[in-house]
Amino acid sequence: MIRKKLMYVVSDIDKSLHFEWISPHLNKNYNLSFVLIGIHHSALQQFLNQQGIPVICFSYKGRLDLIQVWVKVFHIILKQQPDIIHTHLWVANLIGLTCGWLAQVPKRIYTRHHASIHYKQYPSGLKWDKLHNRLATHIIAISKNVEHLLIHCDKATREKVRLIYHGFAFSYFQDISSDRVKLLNQNHNIHTESRPVIGVISRFTEWKGIQFIIPAFKSLLSDFPDARLILANAHGEYKPTLVRLLSDLPESSFTLINFEHDLAALYRLFDVFVHVPVDQEAEAFGQTYIEPLIVGIPCIFTLSGIAREIIKHEENALVVDFKNSEQIYSSMIRLLIDPTLRNNLLEHGKNAVSKFTIETYLSHLDNLYRE
């Protein structure tokens, strides 16, 4: 049987576990190629090269560069004539879908990775969302929240939208050697004897709610003076505000990690994990709702994105109200002093995320590609 030509167009990604997990499978079943836009010599590019998967990279600095990239991508599509184009993230969506539409690629798919941000913070982005919705033949919604926004807010054609949840390679998070954890400790100068450790993995942007975690941790220091707060993925436009809040804490009580490739080992350093977006529509999915439960860490959450579908208070996590530092603090205390509660949450947490396997994701993706 002749294998379909499948082209991925992805923008502004350095390392991506998602593409590392799915590309070997896709490469066996399709004539797979990648166009990467934005970061030259990225970790993803290196991985694809190692796998022998064709990849072309374009960097850009401004709009004029993007015009040149668009022309080059258009010529690549005309030359390769893919049966399917699948785009991820804004620049890739704009370039990949417009080029694919003009080149009359039969199946043009994009995965919607954002939720309500263009309705609440950047309304200028709505026109681009609607353009992408028109140009695509299929749109992947990664949660029911995104599905609702696409159909009822964007007014995207209902028949185009497919609900396909993210998938995770569970072994990546579960098979962790003590040497990897020790190395991570050393690299970031994190002293694990300073227990307990409160972990956060969130980009420094306002809607992630980190500004409510820091005051909660400040209160926690009164009860646990040796506690440590680890803030990973510590970059973004909201960083100046968060740095000001952190200035109220002892410098020895927190660690900022700009980026860490070995997320699985990083999770092993946490005693409690906190993820508290500021409203129910802020997260499109929220991979950090799933990953700590796979690892087996007691969690404190607000209900946004995928959490609205799977998280239940006092069953698989502790749920707090939006923008509520006092509840975050009291939940930290509960998890640190009550081992029975922790163990119950961990047992039910693993059951709650058991369906989000990479195999299930790939099965749904294959069905869409072959539809």
Side-chain angles (χ1 to χ4, degrees), residues 143-182:
S143 68
K144 290 183 179 178
N145 179 36
V146 173
E147 182 183 49
H148 174 83
L149 287 166
L150 281 165
I151 295 172
H152 298 284
C153 299
D154 285 12
K155 306 300 182 183
T157 304
R158 183 182 296 267
E159 289 73 23
K160 289 185 177 183
V161 179
R162 299 288 190 276
L163 177 62
I164 301 179
Y165 296 112
H166 281 317
F168 299 80
F170 280 39
S171 60
Y172 170 83
F173 294 99
Q174 295 171 340
D175 301 335
I176 309 301
S177 69
S178 58
D179 287 341
R180 283 169 59 187
V181 179
K182 184 178 180 180

Side-chain angles (χ1 to χ4, degrees), residues 57 63 74 146:
C57 302
R63 293 183 180 181
F74 183 61
V146 173

